[in-house]
Amino acid sequence: MGAQEVREGFVRLYGAEPEGVWAAPGRVNLIGEHTDYNDGFVMPFALPHIAVAAVSRRTDGVLRLHSADLDSGVAELRPADLAPESDGNWTAYPAGVVWALREAGHPVTGADIHLSSTVPSGAGLSSSAALEVVVALALNDLYDLGLQGWQLARLCQRAENVYVGAPTGIMDQTASACCEAGHALFLDTRDLSQKQIPLDLAAEGLRLLVVDTQVTHAHSGGEYGKRRAGCEKGAALLGVDALRDIPYADLDAALARLGDEEEVRRLVRHVVTEDQRVEQVVALLESGGDSRAVGPILTAGHASLRDDFRVSCPELDLVVDTALAHGALGARMTGGGFGGSAIVLAEAADVETLTKGVEEAFAAAGHKAPRVFEAVPAAGARRLS
């Protein structure tokens, strides 16, 4: 759904033209999974799939929310009454942003908001972050708050952590707010320093596919929180602020110090080796070398997520194993896990055969047909009109 359609939907709902229309994308993470809440490194890029919001200010203390994607009416809330974990519906994401802005002292008095999104929900592609960021950007512009992209990302993360109750890291919101077309974002989640890394796989005859398994995941589920708590326990046992502070060269010694804490050992090993994999991919892409060398790093990341972090699932493993058997250069799950999507790096000439192989494998296993599309680095959040 484009800007004009969302604008027209706003007029039908609220009887007036919106003050503007904004967009924020979903993201796919090239490498760096479950490192963001460990103060580590990540490397996402924005997708062409976007959440679009038509928005106008209100001065009467009313917040009205509507989604064109759901069969429901306009939700009417009062910003002054918003409270964390009081809303179990989709409205918690935009309402949480209003709450976070007001909690930070920004004078957001209300708004009429009409939303539509092409970011697949539950696919590990940050549909919730796209909703949060597009609302935050619109309110930032309309209320002249003067916040930068990374500041909006911080507020959106707070909305998801505290208001929604999902213990996510900072990556998703920063990717949606700050990515640039044609680039992956190398982000240090400790100090939020960013570097845009050129990523043009098509120029090398390569493609990066996203395979949505259609298995829905939810960050607010208990397993994600358990992994985060285990990482924090590991950092405490090792006497560091975060697992990011364990050098890769010291990993074996650190694991030995954990003794019989086997579950914590696995979590620590994944985070430290995953940070190393991010740095390897950055070095490869910045050197101008053959991007095909990224493939084995992606596959190693999947093995770590499957065996050490244990957040994969049979459908994700089937994508990775089948893709590799059909000539993929590398493949791994992407996102929080327990479902969602995998990414596959392949020669352009192999895409059709590889896609068919994955689809046939899913049919043979009795799984719902996967959704496969090419991922091309797109622009981050912006005003459309």
Side-chain angles (χ1 to χ4, degrees):
M1 183 172 282
Q4 187 57 33
E5 291 171 276
V6 176
R7 177 180 288 276
E8 291 170 357
F10 183 100
V11 173
R12 286 193 298 272
L13 278 171
Y14 301 125
E17 287 282 336
E19 292 184 82
V21 181
W22 290 260
R27 66 97 187 99
V28 66
N29 195 23
L30 183 63
I31 193 73
E33 221 64 78
H34 290 277
T35 50
D36 59 347
Y37 54 80
N38 288 290
D39 282 1
F41 304 124
V42 294
M43 198 175 185
F45 62 85
L47 290 168
H49 306 71
I50 54 175
V52 180
V55 184
S56 286
R57 288 167 290 184
R58 294 181 69 99
T59 59
D60 58 355
V62 172
L63 173 65
R64 294 196 292 184
L65 302 169
H66 183 266
S67 169
D69 309 319
L70 300 172
D71 187 19
S72 59
V74 175
E76 186 167 312
L77 307 168
R78 298 194 67 82
D81 298 336
L82 298 177
E85 298 192 54
S86 61
D87 186 349
N89 300 311
W90 73 270
T91 50
Y93 296 99
V97 170
V98 174
W99 171 84
L101 285 166
R102 287 171 59 88
E103 282 285 298
H106 300 295
V108 177
T109 54
D112 285 338
I113 300 175
H114 175 55
L115 291 149
S116 183
S117 178
T118 59
V119 186
S121 178
L125 303 175
S126 298
S127 58
S128 60
L131 280 182
E132 292 158 357
V133 170
V134 74
V135 170
L137 181 62
L139 296 175
N140 183 55
D141 286 355
L142 291 176
Y143 282 94
D144 294 320
L145 304 181
L147 299 172
Q148 298 179 50
W150 67 269
Q151 294 171 303
L152 294 177
R154 276 282 197 213
L155 285 163
C156 289
Q157 183 200 16
R158 178 165 167 75
E160 188 147 351
N161 288 174
V162 180
Y163 193 89
V164 178
T168 55
I170 190 66
M171 172 180 66
D172 296 351
Q173 292 85 359
T174 306
S176 185
C178 301
C179 278
E180 295 181 3
H183 294 76
L185 179 69
F186 176 39
L187 174 67
D188 181 334
T189 65
R190 169 165 282 169
D191 62 12
L192 296 189
S193 60
Q194 304 176 17
K195 192 171 188 180
Q196 302 286 344
I197 308 294
L199 184 65
D200 185 1
L201 297 174
E204 298 182 61
L206 301 175
R207 299 291 185 271
L208 189 74
L209 303 178
V210 174
V211 182
D212 177 4
T213 65
Q214 308 272 14
V215 177
T216 302
H217 78 157
H219 270 160
S220 51
E223 291 300 316
Y224 186 97
K226 287 179 186 176
R227 301 305 189 280
R228 182 165 186 164
C231 290
E232 291 167 354
K233 180 180 179 180
L237 289 171
L238 292 168
V240 293
D241 291 336
L243 293 184
R244 178 257 181 76
D245 295 313
I246 305 298
Y248 179 72
D250 296 345
L251 176 60
D252 289 344
L255 295 177
R257 288 167 54 201
L258 292 170
D260 59 359
E261 292 277 358
E262 183 53 37
E263 183 175 351
V264 174
R265 282 165 55 90
R266 287 189 287 99
L267 298 177
V268 170
R269 181 164 54 225
H270 167 72
V271 172
V272 175
T273 59
E274 186 78 347
D275 273 336
Q276 171 76 356
R277 283 185 284 272
V278 177
E279 293 187 291
Q280 285 179 300
V281 171
V282 171
L284 274 168
L285 294 177
E286 285 197 312
S287 71
D290 191 337
S291 296
R292 288 164 179 82
V294 170
I297 303 173
L298 302 183
T299 305
H302 183 77
S304 182
L305 288 159
R306 180 192 64 212
D307 301 336
D308 276 343
F309 225 72
R310 300 188 183 183
V311 291
S312 189
C313 66
E315 293 85 353
L316 289 167
D317 293 341
L318 184 60
V319 173
V320 171
D321 293 344
T322 305
L324 294 172
H326 284 78
L329 299 165
R332 74 170 189 90
M333 59 153 281
T334 187
F338 312 108
S341 299
I343 55 173
V344 178
L345 181 65
E347 301 284 355
D350 294 337
V351 166
E352 186 175 344
T353 301
L354 191 154
T355 301
K356 184 179 178 182
V358 171
E359 291 170 344
E360 290 176 347
F362 266 56
H367 299 320
K368 185 177 180 180
R371 177 170 178 250
V372 184
F373 60 92
E374 183 182 352
V376 178
R382 67 268 188 200
R383 186 168 186 159
L384 298 180
S385 65

